Amino acid sequence: MGETSDDERGFFAELPVRRPTKAAPIEKPHYHGHRDRLRERFVAGGPDALPDYELLELLLFRLIPRVDTKPIAKALIARFGSLAEVLGAPPSLLEEVKGIGPTVAVDLKVIAATAQRMARGEVRGREVLSNWAQLLDYCRSAMAFETREQFRILFLDKKNGLIADEVQQTGTVDHTPVYPREVVKRALELSASAVILVHNHPSGDPTPSRADIEMTKQIIDTAKPLGIAVHDHIIIGRKGNASMKGLLLI
């Protein structure tokens, strides 16, 4: 066959010379400048210079690097109410917010756990009664946003230093079974001289119930003959906290 038919697809044709063209400049997404400005404000003014949603944005920058995180942060705050409540929310509810997948939800819980560990470090081994504000901060970070009741015991030595912090029982949304003998038994095992009882009200209202007061008195009556003091029973809620001793209930 002829040369023309052998090259009907143009394999041997001379290709036109293409001159190199300048690459169009790559524009940064609009939120990059916003991120830089937000970081600068944080460095200059510290965390108190930023509202909750902007502080949450700073966290999300690293967790979701190529997305505008401002609407996600605002949606989280709108859903849960505050940064503390976002970090306290269970992963399943976090994932209901558009833009939050399983990985980011777990990352937020890791941040929450880190904050709780730091707060615990502020009170461990110290004289608890003289660092009451730090103790309350720790209890609030650990329990205020739990969806079920937890009964926590802080075991103290003779100098009221924290020996151990344990969740003894986890119950339902409005009840936790507590056994005074088990509380005292564990205190004896740890050689504790005193305890502080703590539990949360998922409803948000920290007001002690009649059952809370009666249960506390039972623990006091069981512990006292064995030389174990009950310094207080603190109830933690989203709306604040209540001290039974402060309310003169024990």
Side-chain angles (χ1 to χ4, degrees), residues 17 56 72 87 89 104 117 119 141 151 155-156 162-163 178 180 200 219 237 246:
V17 177
L56 183 55
I72 300 174
L87 296 179
V104 175
R117 194 71 58 87
S141 69
F151 183 73
F155 299 95
L156 311 180
L162 183 64
I163 299 173
V178 178
N200 64 310
I219 294 175

Side-chain angles (χ1 to χ4, degrees), residues 1-10 12:
M1 297 179 67
E3 183 178 338
T4 301
S5 56
D6 287 343
D7 192 27
E8 65 181 90
R9 296 180 182 274
F12 304 109

Side-chain angles (χ1 to χ4, degrees), residues 153-174:
I153 310 171
L154 308 180
F155 299 95
L156 311 180
D157 60 22
K158 291 181 180 180
K159 295 183 179 180
N160 289 320
L162 183 64
I163 299 173
D165 159 30
E166 298 179 354
V167 176
Q168 192 188 59
Q169 296 288 340
T170 299
T172 64
V173 294
D174 59 2

Side-chain angles (χ1 to χ4, degrees), residues 4 21 42 46 63 67 80-81 108 131 134 140 165 174 177 199 203 231 234 236:
T4 301
T21 57
F42 177 82
L63 305 182
V67 174
F80 298 105
L108 288 172
N131 293 277
Q134 290 180 336
R140 181 172 170 78
D165 159 30
D174 59 2
H199 85 276
S203 66
H231 285 326
I234 303 168
I236 302 293

Side-chain angles (χ1 to χ4, degrees), residues 138-154:
Y138 165 63
C139 292
R140 181 172 170 78
S141 69
M143 304 176 70
F145 307 108
E146 289 289 333
T147 56
R148 294 189 297 169
E149 278 199 9
Q150 287 185 351
F151 183 73
R152 182 183 297 265
I153 310 171
L154 308 180

Side-chain angles (χ1 to χ4, degrees), residues 8 43 53 55 57 76 84 116 120 151 176 197 199 238:
E8 65 181 90
V43 171
Y53 84 89
L55 201 56
E57 272 192 86
L76 285 166
Q116 290 175 16
R120 182 188 299 175
F151 183 73
T176 305
L197 312 175
H199 85 276
R238 292 186 181 90

Side-chain angles (χ1 to χ4, degrees), residues 63-209:
L63 305 182
I64 315 175
R66 290 178 294 277
V67 174
D68 182 4
T69 58
K70 184 175 182 178
I72 300 174
K74 285 190 170 184
L76 285 166
I77 297 296
R79 170 69 185 275
F80 298 105
S82 69
L83 176 58
E85 288 174 292
V86 170
L87 296 179
S92 59
L93 294 184
L94 291 171
E95 291 176 39
E96 292 179 2
V97 176
K98 185 178 179 181
I100 301 296
T103 300
V104 175
V106 170
D107 286 343
L108 288 172
K109 299 308 297 181
V110 170
I111 292 169
T114 302
Q116 290 175 16
R117 194 71 58 87
M118 289 177 64
R120 182 188 299 175
E122 291 294 322
V123 298
R124 183 174 293 277
R126 299 188 180 185
E127 205 281 306
V128 170
L129 300 183
S130 63
N131 293 277
W132 198 250
Q134 290 180 336
L135 176 67
L136 292 177
D137 286 345
Y138 165 63
C139 292
R140 181 172 170 78
S141 69
M143 304 176 70
F145 307 108
E146 289 289 333
T147 56
R148 294 189 297 169
E149 278 199 9
Q150 287 185 351
F151 183 73
R152 182 183 297 265
I153 310 171
L154 308 180
F155 299 95
L156 311 180
D157 60 22
K158 291 181 180 180
K159 295 183 179 180
N160 289 320
L162 183 64
I163 299 173
D165 159 30
E166 298 179 354
V167 176
Q168 192 188 59
Q169 296 288 340
T170 299
T172 64
V173 294
D174 59 2
H175 175 69
T176 305
V178 178
Y179 306 100
R181 289 183 181 180
E182 293 299 318
V183 174
V184 174
K185 177 184 176 182
R186 185 58 179 154
L188 292 172
E189 290 173 350
L190 294 171
S191 299
S193 298
V195 296
I196 296 175
L197 312 175
V198 190
H199 85 276
N200 64 310
H201 280 179
S203 66
D205 182 2
T207 303
S209 67

